Each structure stands twice: as C-alpha cells, then as structure tokens.
Amino acid sequence: MDEITAPVDLGSAAGVLNPAAVGFARSALHRPVVPSGAKGGWRTKRWEYWGILTPELAVGLTIAHLDYASTLQLYVFERGTGKETSLDPLKILPSYADVSLPDTLPPLTAFGAFGGAGLRFHDADGGTRLQASSSRISADLFAEADGDVLGVVVPWSASRYQYTLKDVARRVSGTVTVDGRTYPVGGADSFAVLDRGRGRWPYSQRWNWGVGSGTVDGTRLGLQIGGKWTAGTPATENALIVDGRLHHYDGELEFAYDLADPASAWRVHGPWIDATLTPFHRRTAVTNAVVISARTWQAFGTWTGTARTPDGTEYSLDGLGGWIEEARNRW
C-alpha cells in the first residue's frame, strides 16, 4: 500500500473517491471533504471516537453524524466496582446546533449537544482537550499528540469509501466523574485512542478492531490492528508504533475468539504478529432503532505476545493495555 506524504483530497464535490487518496499516512494529511445528504444516497458517515484506558477506568466518548441521524456516547466502566454507566442519545435529522464534525485538516473542534449530553473535542497546545457532561458522567481530559498516527483510505468502490485515522498511544491526563465520584487520570498506565472516520459507507458492514499501548522493556509501543471490513481492498489498518515511529503492514490478519464466552481470550495472528488479549471486562453494546442497527462486542484487557518491525526486530507486547472488538452495523 502506497504511503501518502502530502495533503490530498479524499473525494470530489460529487462524492466520488479521489484515487490519489488511496494509501496510508503517518499524519493527518487527508482533506476528508464528503458532501452530505440525499445526493450521495444518505450514506455519509462522520465520527470522532475517543477511548481512554486507565488502571481504574475504561471510557468511551463519541460524536457521530450519519446524514439522517446523530448519536452521542458517554461510557464508563469502573474497574474496581465492575459498574457500567452509559448514555447514548440519538437524534433524527439533527441541526448544525446539535452536532459539528468538520471535514478539514486539524486543528479541529468537534461538538455534539442533545439528549442530555454534551461533548466537545478541541485540538490545541500540542494535543486535544476532551470535555463531556451529563447528569451522571463528566470528563475534562487532555490527550497529548506526540508521535505518528495511522491514516488509511479503504476503497470499496468509487462511490463507497472510508477515511479513518487511528492515533493509539496518546498520553492522557485530567479527571472523569461518575455519579459524583471523581477519578484522576494520568501516569504511564493511562492512554487515549482517537478513531476518526469520514466517508461513504455501504449499508451493512462488519469489522474487527484492536489497540494496545504501554511501555515494555523501556520501549513505548502502540498497537493498531483491524480486519474484515478491509478484505478485498488494497487497504489495511495494521501498524506497530515504536517510540513514536509507525510501521505499517499490508495483508489481512487472522482473528480468533468466542463471542459466546465473555471471559475467553482473543487471538490475532499474521506474518508479523502473534498476540492474545486476555479480557478483564467485555462490553456488549446494542442499538436497535428504525434507521440504525448496531451490535458491538468490545473486550478490555491485557495483551501478551510479540510483533516484528519490517527489519525483523521483535518486540514483546506483554503487559500492554488495550481492547479488541467485533462490530456489526447497519446504518
């Protein structure tokens, strides 16, 4: 897969994929302008998802716009008590006052406010400030930007394509409050992950996605893996980040797991990686609305195994924190 090294437009005003945009990048170089609305068959998807993992919490914050609807997500799992708290409002035909997800290069400001929830993600001062508020969950966090990211375009066809940017090893600090209890966030064992999406999707899609972050034997590592939704295209979203430097890998990976057993391990295998995530918690998220149907199995846990850079250097993944998921969406 070719590496993109200069800014490039994702598509034309008509919504057709720009062939020059197909490839991967180590920074946010894609100008992801995608027209909304019926002109493209109501298939435009935009989202900003932030996942945060700490020794005490697993947190998910999402702003998403799907042409005909918008969703927000505030999710917290408290590891000490095993309590899940979640708010997932949905709004049909939202206005610009409800949600904003710019199709520009960073710095970006994205926000969403409806259904009793408010989210704002603002790039500034070498990172991104993440703010969330609701009656039960609030957060004020800062995720530092200090290394390569992975930007990839998945070309299903000229009219169906997806730009995604994954930034999986950000240091994070701040606070998260759940039902009046405030958790400080920070330190070497806490990290934040950005998943950004802009594009035009087929109606039904299934995927695997996994991430990991941490320091092993003095080396700071970030792991980004994905599959199923890229099969049949030249794109892959597989990478290992070593002390801030990204190594991208072509070729599909094999995923093995048992959705019937929430405590079972998830294995990922390929020419450059053999890794297993052992979960401490699995979340099952289900949406059954008139216009949106989604089901996600997301396992949070600890990685073991190894991964190799293209020059053959092998790195232990033992002890990396992270998560892995299967998702099946119709929207």
Side-chain angles (χ1 to χ4, degrees):
M1 192 176 190
D2 292 337
E3 181 176 353
I4 291 170
T5 58
V8 62
D9 292 332
L10 175 61
S12 70
V16 177
L17 174 64
N18 175 13
V22 177
F24 80 94
R26 302 174 189 272
S27 59
L29 295 177
H30 289 84
R31 289 184 286 261
V33 178
V34 184
S36 297
K39 185 176 181 180
W42 298 97
R43 305 306 311 148
T44 306
K45 317 296 182 189
R46 297 176 174 87
W47 70 82
E48 301 277 320
Y49 165 81
W50 283 91
I52 298 96
L53 192 63
T54 83
E56 296 180 294
L57 302 172
V59 180
L61 305 173
T62 307
I63 306 170
H65 186 280
L66 312 174
D67 260 346
Y68 45 80
S70 280
T71 62
L72 305 178
Q73 178 200 71
L74 291 82
Y75 170 81
V76 178
F77 173 71
E78 295 171 82
R79 297 174 64 172
T81 65
K83 185 179 79 172
E84 285 187 313
T85 307
S86 183
L87 180 64
D88 302 274
L90 167 70
K91 186 159 189 177
I92 305 300
L93 298 178
S95 70
Y96 288 110
D98 298 318
V99 64
S100 174
L101 290 166
D103 289 344
T104 61
L105 294 173
L108 300 182
T109 297
F111 70 82
F114 55 84
L119 290 163
R120 185 175 185 268
F121 308 148
H122 175 63
D123 292 335
D125 302 323
T128 306
R129 188 176 183 188
L130 314 175
Q131 297 170 290
S133 62
S134 70
S135 61
R136 299 187 64 190
I137 299 171
S138 62
D140 192 352
L141 300 164
F142 186 77
E144 299 178 32
D146 60 355
D148 288 348
V149 305
L150 176 62
V152 172
V153 169
V154 180
W156 295 297
S157 70
S159 59
R160 296 287 181 262
Y161 51 89
Q162 172 64 30
Y163 165 66
T164 183
L165 183 139
K166 302 294 198 299
D167 193 351
V168 300
R170 288 201 182 194
R171 296 177 175 88
V172 63
S173 59
T175 59
V176 175
T177 300
V178 188
D179 291 333
R181 179 177 180 179
T182 297
Y183 292 89
V185 174
D189 294 327
S190 298
F191 69 95
V193 171
L194 168 62
D195 175 13
R196 171 175 296 147
R198 303 289 190 275
R200 289 198 184 283
W201 277 64
Y203 173 63
S204 178
Q205 193 58 259
R206 178 185 178 196
W207 67 81
N208 289 126
W209 175 42
V211 301
S213 183
T215 299
V216 181
D217 298 330
T219 301
R220 184 164 177 81
L221 299 174
L223 178 66
Q224 158 62 41
I225 50 178
K228 290 188 176 67
W229 73 302
T230 57
T233 79
T236 59
E237 54 168 358
N238 300 319
L240 181 68
I241 300 173
V242 180
D243 287 332
R245 180 63 174 173
L246 181 138
H247 303 274
H248 177 261
Y249 301 90
D250 292 325
E252 294 292 322
L253 299 176
E254 297 179 12
F255 293 79
Y257 48 92
D258 182 2
L259 294 180
D261 181 3
S264 65
W266 297 53
R267 186 186 179 206
V268 182
H269 179 73
W272 60 277
I273 186 171
D274 190 353
T276 299
L277 182 132
T278 301
F280 60 77
H281 177 65
R282 196 183 78 181
R283 177 193 182 208
T284 302
V286 180
T287 301
N288 283 311
V290 174
V291 294
I292 299 172
S293 173
R295 189 176 184 93
T296 301
W297 296 264
Q298 183 180 26
F300 302 94
T302 303
W303 289 98
T304 56
T306 59
R308 290 183 298 277
T309 51
D311 67 2
T313 304
E314 186 170 274
Y315 292 89
S316 171
L317 306 178
D318 293 357
L320 294 187
W323 59 82
I324 192 168
E325 69 182 32
E326 177 180 311
R328 303 173 186 178
N329 284 357
R330 293 183 178 182
W331 26 258

